[in-house]
């Protein structure tokens, strides 16, 4: 249940801070402790419940704010407008969930964004990267994607390196061209201000003062995700996005994205944003299609539910 966090980690955090005992049976929570502990526990859960109702999701920061009494009102989409400084072009989130995603990127050095197709994960991340570049908060943008085929074998592709990886990196290029003139994108790429690379070419690098975006993060292995995240240098920011219902890895391979979200969720400076079907902004049928496929995406796969972190042994 979203209210309790991944693997009930929010529940454990509330118990550690508030004190007393918290018992979960089904979707019902029972408190045992002093009157003050019960009162505080109820206040925290009511605050989180209101936030979840308003936005359809919770951030890790929401829990901390609820625990220390500094909980903020939901962010309106118009309050999170991204100025691209390109012929008055601006990108405005279209849902409260998207607005919270943008705010999380502003406030954290590393953000994981998980959500279904069409909810703006990649597009908003690219917009934030362009915004940071134009404000000189970073010196370059690096866009990364694993070269994993979605169920089809394309064979050998002709051309140089850029031509070979172009089919995999096309969504990132499309987002860039939607925000800047083609000539500007070309100049940035020629001057290495914008770099688009397959994940395999990230090994051994240290990227300082760089806005790094990993797209399709669900198709990384645990080892690849560790390698990618440790490329982060001084003054850099990372956004890793993915749809955990569309994992194209072999069934026995754990997704690096779900593993990283589980391992790193309690580290300060890291945020995890979960977008839902309510945040889909493509054609109206996309939302219905995603909803129709949900029962298939959550079937048991090799003893675990696809899209969820594996059980720790």
């Amino acid at each position: 249940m979203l209210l309790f966090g991944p693997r009930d980690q929010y529940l454990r955090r509330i118990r550690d801070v508030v004190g007393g005992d918290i018992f979960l049976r089904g979707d019902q929570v029972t408190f045992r402790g002093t009157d003050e502990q019960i009162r505080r526990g109820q206040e925290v859960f009511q605050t989180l419940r209101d936030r979840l109702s308003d936005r359809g999701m919770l951030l890790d920061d929401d829990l901390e704010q609820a625990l220390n009494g500094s909980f903020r009102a939901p962010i309106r989409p118009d309050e999170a407008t991204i100025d691209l400084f390109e012929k008055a072009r601006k990108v405005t989130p279209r849902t409260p969930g998207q607005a919270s995603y943008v705010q999380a990127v502003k406030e954290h050095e590393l953000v994981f964004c998980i959500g279904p197709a069409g909810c703006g994960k990649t597009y908003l991340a690219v917009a934030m990267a362009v915004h940071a570049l134009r404000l000189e908060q970073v010196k370059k943008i690096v866009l990364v994607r694993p070269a994993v085929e979605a169920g089809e074998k394309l064979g050998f592709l002709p051309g140089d390196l850029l031509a070979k990886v172009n089919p995999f990196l096309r969504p990132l290029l499309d987002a860039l061209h939607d925000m800047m003139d083609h000539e500007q994108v070309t100049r940035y790429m020629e001057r290495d201000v914008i770099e688009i690379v397959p994940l395999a070419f990230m090994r051994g690098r240290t990227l300082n003062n760089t806005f790094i975006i990993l797209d399709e993060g669900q198709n990384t292995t645990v080892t690849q995700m560790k390698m990618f995240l440790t490329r982060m240098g001084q003054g850099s920011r990372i956004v890793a996005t993915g749809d955990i219902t569309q994992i194209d890895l072999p069934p026995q391979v754990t997704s690096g994205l779900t593993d990283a979200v589980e391992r790193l969720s309690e580290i300060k400076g890291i945020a995890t944003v979960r977008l839902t079907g309510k945040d889909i902004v493509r054609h109206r049928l996309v939302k219905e299609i995603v909803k129709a496929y949900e029962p298939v995406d959550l079937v048991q796969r090799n003893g675990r539910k696809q899209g969820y972190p594996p059980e720790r042994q």
Side-chain angles (χ1 to χ4, degrees):
M1 186 176 182
L2 292 177
L3 186 61
F4 304 141
R7 299 170 63 86
D8 297 338
Q9 67 181 33
Y10 294 171
L11 207 63
R12 295 193 296 272
R13 175 67 174 154
I14 294 170
R15 182 185 58 206
D16 293 341
V17 174
V18 174
D21 292 319
I22 303 177
F23 300 94
L24 174 62
R25 288 178 174 80
D27 58 356
Q28 186 170 357
V29 179
T30 302
F31 295 93
R32 287 182 186 173
T34 66
D35 291 343
E36 177 62 18
Q37 288 172 337
I38 293 174
R39 183 191 65 80
R40 282 203 63 202
Q42 291 174 333
E43 285 180 352
V44 170
F45 268 101
Q46 186 58 52
T47 302
L48 293 178
R49 189 178 292 112
D50 292 343
R51 180 63 158 171
L52 185 60
S53 176
D54 289 334
R55 196 175 59 187
M57 60 177 289
L58 289 175
L59 303 179
D60 293 339
D61 279 0
D62 294 337
L63 174 60
E64 297 304 319
Q65 291 165 8
L67 288 169
N68 63 31
S70 61
F71 196 80
R72 298 177 300 181
I75 303 166
R76 298 200 316 267
D78 61 316
E79 295 175 331
T81 297
I82 306 167
D83 194 340
L84 302 177
F85 302 101
E86 172 77 13
K87 297 181 179 179
R89 294 179 186 173
K90 295 184 179 181
V91 173
T92 300
R94 295 168 61 181
T95 70
Q98 289 187 348
S100 296
Y101 174 32
V102 170
Q103 192 65 26
V105 175
K106 289 180 179 179
E107 297 177 352
H108 298 82
E109 295 172 292
L110 171 56
V111 175
F112 295 104
C113 182
I114 295 173
C119 63
K121 304 182 298 295
T122 302
Y123 193 86
L124 291 173
V126 172
M128 287 298 294
V130 173
H131 174 80
L133 181 66
R134 290 298 176 86
L135 287 180
E136 297 185 352
Q137 295 173 346
V138 297
K139 293 183 178 180
K140 70 180 297 181
I141 298 172
V142 174
L143 308 174
V144 186
R145 210 168 190 242
V148 177
E149 297 162 345
E152 297 180 78
K153 297 299 181 183
L154 302 180
F156 293 103
L157 297 174
D160 58 14
L161 173 63
L162 186 59
K164 291 179 185 295
V165 301
N166 184 275
F168 300 102
L169 304 176
R170 193 72 241 175
L172 297 168
L173 283 168
D174 289 343
L176 276 175
H177 287 303
D178 197 39
M179 297 173 196
M180 293 188 289
D181 292 339
H182 179 80
E183 294 77 11
Q184 181 68 73
V185 174
T186 301
R187 284 195 298 271
Y188 276 154
M189 293 181 69
E190 289 175 348
R191 290 157 46 193
D192 210 30
V193 175
I194 294 178
E195 186 180 357
I196 304 179
V197 295
L199 179 62
F201 286 73
M202 291 291 287
R203 187 175 297 279
R205 303 182 65 180
T206 299
L207 298 171
N208 297 314
N209 303 307
T210 303
F211 199 115
I212 314 164
I213 299 173
L214 173 64
D215 192 33
E216 299 291 342
Q218 80 278 2
N219 286 331
T220 62
T221 65
V222 174
T223 301
Q224 287 174 328
M225 179 61 77
K226 177 185 175 183
M227 180 273 290
F228 168 75
L229 295 177
T230 52
R231 303 308 94 200
M232 189 178 192
Q234 296 297 323
S236 291
R237 313 184 77 155
I238 289 179
V239 177
T241 70
D243 179 358
I244 56 177
T245 68
Q246 297 191 62
I247 298 176
D248 299 312
L249 298 170
Q252 71 275 14
V253 178
T254 299
S255 167
L257 180 61
T258 56
D259 179 80
V261 167
E262 180 187 17
R263 289 176 185 268
L264 309 177
S265 60
E266 297 182 8
I267 297 178
K268 188 175 182 180
I270 298 177
T272 299
V273 179
R274 291 177 173 82
L275 301 179
T276 68
K278 296 179 181 179
D279 300 299
I280 294 175
V281 293
R282 287 183 186 163
H283 191 285
R284 64 175 183 82
L285 289 179
V286 174
K287 186 177 295 186
E288 298 301 323
I289 292 169
V290 169
K291 184 177 179 180
Y293 272 90
E294 281 179 352
V296 177
D297 292 329
L298 298 180
V299 296
Q300 291 288 340
R301 185 178 184 184
N302 284 353
R304 64 180 175 91
K305 289 185 177 181
Q306 181 176 349
Y308 288 87
E311 296 291 332
R312 291 287 183 85
Q313 299 298 321

